[in-house]
Amino acid sequence: MAEINTEKKQKKGKNKAKKMSTRTDMTPMVDLACLLITFFMLSTTLSKPQTMEIVMPSKDKVKSEQEQTKVKASTAITILLGKNDKVYYYFGLVEKAKVVVSSFAPSGIRSMLLNRNAELEAQVLELKKKKANKQLTLLQYNDLVNDLKEKASKTAAPVVMIKPSDLSNYNNLVDILDEMQICNIAAYAIVPIKSEDIALIKKADPQSGFNK
């Protein structure tokens, strides 16, 4: 808002021209700025944080062996995290295991998990196509995928046991958890690594760093 101030000064016998001075009042601009900030805050959508769902173990004590979850040797996959982003895995029980040296490359651990989880992966792909064709909403898609995973965890779907070592880093653990989501693994758990597992790694990879 502009204000115009006029001053009249006269001397005896002389008439001088009027002098006008202008001063801009910026107070209304503050209100306008607040209104604009409020408008953009209400009209824009804030970015939603991406989270990973992890099922934590229950604190309730298991009263009987029938209540304990038993992993079949035919469906068990053990993934060992080593040094320098190396990944090792074996199938079945540790007594009869043969460790395979792998990596986080798409042709590595991911390819193995997709092959082992091919049946569930095919069903999830069908749901993805329906969602892309707008036959399913995102909420319906997520509910159906969760139902498929729940059913698969009770059948012959692979059960993955992740065992980080002292030589692996936190980023390796995050990467392997991402692979569980990408490959739609229905059941997986993080468990401590054992001396038998380290012995298998030493045998399969002399350059693993566990020999020192």
Side-chain angles (χ1 to χ4, degrees):
M1 186 183 295
E3 294 181 354
I4 301 175
N5 298 327
T6 59
E7 297 180 357
K8 295 182 179 180
K9 293 183 179 180
Q10 294 182 354
K11 291 186 178 180
K12 294 181 179 180
K14 293 184 179 180
N15 293 327
K16 289 187 176 181
K18 297 179 181 179
K19 294 182 179 179
M20 295 183 294
S21 62
T22 59
R23 182 174 66 85
T24 304
D25 187 6
M26 300 297 293
T27 303
M29 296 298 293
V30 177
D31 296 336
L32 179 61
C34 292
L35 289 174
L36 290 174
I37 293 173
T38 305
F39 170 76
F40 286 115
M41 287 178 63
L42 295 176
S43 62
T44 56
T45 303
L46 299 178
S47 60
K48 298 180 180 179
Q50 297 181 355
T51 58
M52 178 183 298
E53 295 182 359
I54 299 179
V55 179
M56 302 301 292
S58 175
K59 295 182 180 180
D60 299 333
K61 294 182 179 180
V62 180
K63 297 181 180 179
S64 62
E65 292 185 359
Q66 288 76 14
E67 296 177 355
Q68 296 179 2
T69 303
K70 296 181 180 180
V71 179
K72 296 180 180 179
S74 59
T75 61
I77 302 174
T78 302
I79 297 178
L80 311 171
L81 304 180
K83 188 179 181 180
N84 297 327
D85 300 332
K86 285 187 177 181
V87 186
Y88 309 88
Y89 66 87
Y90 62 85
F91 306 112
L93 301 176
V94 66
E95 292 82 4
K96 302 178 180 179
K98 183 180 179 181
V99 170
V100 179
V101 183
S102 186
S103 65
F104 286 103
S107 59
I109 193 70
R110 183 182 302 179
S111 178
M112 180 274 294
L113 291 173
L114 290 174
N115 290 333
R116 286 276 172 163
N117 200 34
E119 183 177 353
L120 178 58
E121 184 67 19
Q123 295 174 346
V124 174
L125 286 176
E126 288 295 326
L127 294 178
K128 285 183 179 179
K129 291 180 181 179
K130 291 182 179 181
K131 181 171 70 71
N133 295 330
K134 297 183 179 180
Q135 296 177 351
L136 294 174
T137 63
L138 180 60
L139 182 60
Q140 291 173 334
Y141 168 79
N142 291 332
D143 290 340
L144 290 173
V145 170
N146 291 333
D147 290 340
L148 287 176
K149 288 183 177 182
E150 185 177 355
K151 292 178 182 178
S153 63
K154 299 177 181 178
T155 57
V159 179
V160 180
M161 289 175 286
I162 304 169
K163 297 184 178 182
S165 68
D166 294 337
L167 300 181
S168 63
N169 54 49
Y170 181 76
N171 190 54
N172 295 148
L173 182 59
V174 174
D175 289 340
I176 198 64
L177 290 176
D178 286 340
E179 295 298 333
M180 297 298 108
Q181 298 296 322
I182 293 171
C183 301
N184 294 300
I185 301 300
Y188 59 91
I190 302 173
V191 296
I193 195 169
K194 297 182 179 180
S195 57
E196 295 88 346
D197 300 315
I198 296 177
L200 290 174
I201 295 176
K202 290 179 180 180
K203 184 178 179 181
D205 184 14
Q207 307 297 325
S208 61
F210 288 96
N211 298 319
K212 296 180 180 180

